[in-house]
Amino acid sequence: MEFSFDLNPIFPERISLLDHHLRLSRKVTYGSYRSDLDEQLVTVINRMGEASAKAQLLSASITTASRMRTNKHKLYVLRDSRANHGRGVVIGFLKVGYKKLFVLDPHGRQNEMDTLCVLDFYVHEALQRHGHGRELFDHMLQYEGVEPRHLAIDRPSNKFLCFLRKHYGLDSAIPQVNNFVVFEGFFRQRPVRGERMASRVFSKKPEQDIKPYSLSVRNGLPEEEKELPWPFNQLTPLTRSNSLGHSPPPPRGRAGDQQEGGAGRRSQGVGGREPVPSPPASQTAQHRRTSSLTRSQIPF
Ligand SMILES: CC(=O)SCCNC(=O)CCNC(=O)[C@H](O)C(C)(C)COP(=O)(O)OP(=O)(O)OC[C@H]1O[C@@H](n2cnc3c(N)ncnc32)[C@H](O)[C@@H]1OP(=O)(O)O
């Protein structure tokens, strides 16, 4: 992603980390922050957010400078300093943050947890599948001191699911009733960081709904589509997408989804992330309105 100004003073490192004040982390930078770069930084964040939203077929950006300021999220930005005649280009970004979630364990018990969540992740279309996503993700894991299985993912796209499976062997999700995805091993050997884990019975409703961005930007959906949380609202007769971890067939040129496998994919409608693979139609019709999913029914 190119800009008319020099990116190198804004992002002095190959991977720079911004906090919710849009300040660079001292741990990953050598220089100090320059206030005159504020405006350019806002421009970059907003452009990156727009590109990510477009790639995920979202109706609005979930990463903007103003959202960054109102949420305690962190933004890892990967740039190439030499490209664009030395002005640099942004290759991609990864946004994470702690959220209080109600997470179901494999026995269906509900646990209230403050957990690190992956909230937005984007690599420029022209640079995907070159290892940049892995570089960003590994950097974040190391900096945050977490293992991939201990993360909660806000409604991962199909590409992201493939990525997680390929690089980190995450392919077996524990069914949830919110839009976050956690994988097997999520509850095992978690680092102690003041995390609250209050076991509750599955049937008890959380005190508050935890809404991922992906829901909050769903402006245009009719009410009936808002009723059910993901993945239940995915359970319409669809063709299953490519199996995870395999390279897809060549691009089919669908707007906003240029690098996807194409076959069997559908737009989720205004505001949704790109769809994840879904169960065969026979299963989906049968389980469209069920209140819980067994492991074999999780749609990937
Ligand atoms: C919580 C969320 O943020 S969900 C939204 C995630 N973001 C998106 O979907 C936006 C569009 N996609 C992207 O920006 C990128 O594809 C990312 C961020 C998911 C991955 O970044 P990349 O730089 O492509 O990843 P990297 O090169 O390290 O790894 C490649 C692997 O990722 C997965 N992947 C990347 N692109 C695709 C694709 N078009 N189709 C299927 N799998 C893909 C595959 O497992 C791939 O391995 P393979 O080529 O051997 O099949």
Side-chain angles (χ1 to χ4, degrees):
M1 195 176 300
E2 295 179 359
F3 294 85
S4 56
F5 44 83
D6 187 359
L7 289 172
N8 293 307
I10 307 175
F11 303 112
E13 302 293 314
R14 178 163 169 84
I15 297 181
S16 296
L17 172 57
L18 292 166
D19 66 14
H20 63 287
H21 300 298
L22 307 187
R23 297 284 188 256
L24 291 163
S25 161
R26 285 195 196 99
K27 286 187 189 172
V28 294
T29 59
Y30 305 120
S32 56
Y33 182 79
R34 280 172 44 190
S35 59
D36 59 306
L37 300 176
D38 263 355
E39 210 174 301
Q40 292 174 353
L41 180 60
V42 167
T43 302
V44 173
I45 293 174
N46 291 343
R47 276 267 307 279
M48 291 191 311
E50 278 166 24
S52 178
K54 193 174 168 200
Q56 298 173 57
L57 304 176
L58 302 176
S59 62
S61 300
I62 53 181
T63 298
T64 63
S66 66
R67 272 185 190 271
M68 279 295 294
R69 289 196 179 103
T70 51
N71 296 286
K72 289 197 168 175
H73 298 154
K74 293 183 199 169
L75 199 60
Y76 292 84
V77 180
L78 173 62
R79 63 101 173 97
D80 175 349
S81 62
R82 284 168 301 184
N84 194 21
H85 310 290
R87 284 196 287 263
V89 294
V90 171
I91 296 172
F93 73 92
L94 173 61
K95 186 170 74 172
V96 298
Y98 278 88
K99 276 185 177 283
K100 192 171 103 175
L101 297 181
F102 294 91
V103 187
L104 298 181
D105 66 22
H107 307 290
R109 284 189 298 258
Q110 193 162 250
N111 300 273
E112 185 182 351
M113 312 171 78
D114 281 313
T115 190
L116 189 63
C117 301
V118 179
L119 303 168
D120 202 2
F121 188 22
Y122 172 73
V123 167
H124 189 276
E125 273 74 12
L127 299 168
Q128 289 173 14
R129 292 185 138 163
H130 286 71
H132 297 303
R134 173 83 193 252
E135 184 182 356
L136 258 173
F137 210 83
D138 280 350
H139 185 95
M140 179 277 294
L141 292 173
Q142 195 182 3
Y143 190 84
E144 301 291 337
V146 291
E147 291 185 43
R149 67 192 164 106
H150 291 149
L151 295 165
I153 318 283
D154 180 2
R155 195 169 186 161
S157 64
N158 186 34
K159 288 183 186 179
F160 195 12
L161 289 170
C162 292
F163 173 93
L164 290 169
R165 179 172 181 172
K166 176 183 171 146
H167 293 307
Y168 305 106
L170 297 175
D171 60 356
S172 189
I174 303 171
Q176 302 296 316
V177 289
N178 57 30
N179 290 277
F180 285 86
V181 167
V182 303
F183 292 92
E184 234 174 48
F186 179 82
F187 291 93
R188 280 201 311 272
Q189 299 166 318
R190 293 187 68 83
V192 183
R193 46 194 322 157
E195 189 168 78
R196 274 192 300 158
M197 281 187 58
S199 265
R200 298 172 188 207
V201 286
F202 174 42
S203 56
K204 189 167 180 210
K205 249 194 134 193
E207 283 116 12
Q208 61 181 89
D209 285 345
I210 308 294
K211 289 192 174 123
Y213 291 129
S214 40
L215 288 185
S216 61
V217 295
R218 241 185 238 175
N219 302 325
L221 282 184
E223 277 308 310
E224 59 185 23
E225 286 185 57
K226 287 180 184 167
E227 272 174 22
L228 293 173
W230 183 90
F232 305 113
N233 57 6
Q234 297 293 304
L235 302 183
T236 50
L238 296 174
T239 311
R240 186 185 287 277
S241 185
N242 297 320
S243 60
L244 301 182
H246 296 289
S247 295
R252 302 285 174 99
R254 200 178 74 195
D257 199 16
Q258 296 92 333
Q259 304 247 326
E260 284 296 336
R265 308 287 312 282
R266 62 154 195 169
S267 167
Q268 193 186 335
V270 180
R273 287 200 198 276
E274 64 183 33
V276 295
S278 301
S282 57
Q283 275 184 33
T284 56
Q286 195 180 345
H287 298 293
R288 189 175 170 76
R289 294 270 166 185
T290 54
S291 58
S292 64
L293 288 177
T294 64
R295 186 178 303 279
S296 63
Q297 290 166 332
I298 193 78
F300 44 82

